[in-house]
Amino acid sequence: SSDLNIPKNISKYSFKEREYKRDPPGQSEHMAIQYSMEGCSLHEDSADYKEQDKERVKKAEEEAEARKAMEQESRDAGEEPGEGDTEESGKNQFNYSERAAQTFNNPLRERGVSTEPPPVITFGATLTQWEIYDFYMADYAAQIMKAKMHEEADKKGKKSGG
């Protein structure tokens, strides 16, 4: 039940100990290779590279000769050379300009509403800690008086009602 895709002996370099250390098995158990491709690279001076280069040059020459032969046939048939689409033209072959296919970018329009600003007056005053204290004490006394008046009103209401 051993998977051939799981590496068995991974080693990593430890900079602290300045030597290669074997890694314990871990997350690699869950690894699955979905795609693998074998490949190779050739040195320019090798015989294999020279052989492949000759084949590539030969194929390019054959394509050029075939293209010249087709141009000669089209001249013999009375067509102008270059009438057909060539790969080297680089022009846009999808120059589709029918009216229905055109999309126009309408100009941006700004729409805004502005109102007259409300009237503003500048106000400035100075305030001390004692003024704040006096205000809170007066407010507290007013609340106590209001609570007493409610209690007296409740007592009078019970006496007359009961």
Side-chain angles (χ1 to χ4, degrees):
S1 73
S2 64
D3 189 0
L4 298 175
N5 292 326
I6 298 175
K8 303 280 187 279
N9 52 357
I10 298 176
S11 59
K12 293 183 181 174
Y13 187 76
S14 169
F15 288 95
K16 181 179 177 184
E17 298 172 15
R18 296 182 180 209
E19 63 181 15
Y20 284 95
K21 291 281 191 169
R22 186 171 180 172
D23 246 7
Q27 294 292 332
S28 62
E29 298 168 356
H30 303 289
M31 180 182 71
I33 296 175
Q34 302 295 326
Y35 176 75
S36 175
M37 184 174 140
E38 296 290 328
C40 65
S41 47
L42 301 173
H43 194 272
E44 289 179 341
D45 297 333
S46 69
D48 292 334
Y49 175 80
K50 290 177 183 176
E51 184 179 328
Q52 283 186 3
D53 193 38
K54 285 179 187 177
E55 289 176 17
R56 184 183 53 82
V57 169
K58 183 179 175 184
K59 188 175 183 180
E61 288 174 355
E62 289 174 359
E63 288 176 3
E65 288 175 12
R67 189 176 301 121
K68 286 179 184 177
M70 290 184 71
E71 287 177 2
Q72 185 63 34
E73 287 176 15
S74 64
R75 282 191 205 115
D76 293 343
E79 297 176 5
E80 292 183 17
E83 215 172 87
D85 290 336
T86 61
E87 294 176 17
E88 299 172 6
S89 67
K91 294 181 183 175
N92 183 5
Q93 47 184 318
F94 303 107
N95 194 7
Y96 187 66
S97 60
E98 190 176 313
R99 182 173 180 231
Q102 300 290 328
T103 55
F104 296 103
N105 295 330
N106 293 328
L108 296 173
R109 296 184 183 132
E110 279 190 35
R111 292 184 183 158
V113 176
S114 63
T115 59
E116 192 174 312
V120 177
I121 35 176
T122 56
F123 172 78
T126 57
L127 187 65
T128 63
Q129 182 178 359
W130 293 109
E131 289 175 296
I132 296 171
Y133 177 78
D134 290 341
F135 175 79
Y136 276 111
M137 291 308 289
D139 185 51
Y140 180 67
Q143 287 178 3
I144 291 175
M145 288 295 287
K146 192 175 186 181
K148 284 183 182 179
M149 290 176 79
H150 279 293
E151 287 178 13
E152 289 176 6
D154 288 343
K155 286 181 184 178
K156 286 182 184 177
K158 287 183 182 179
K159 285 183 183 178
S160 63

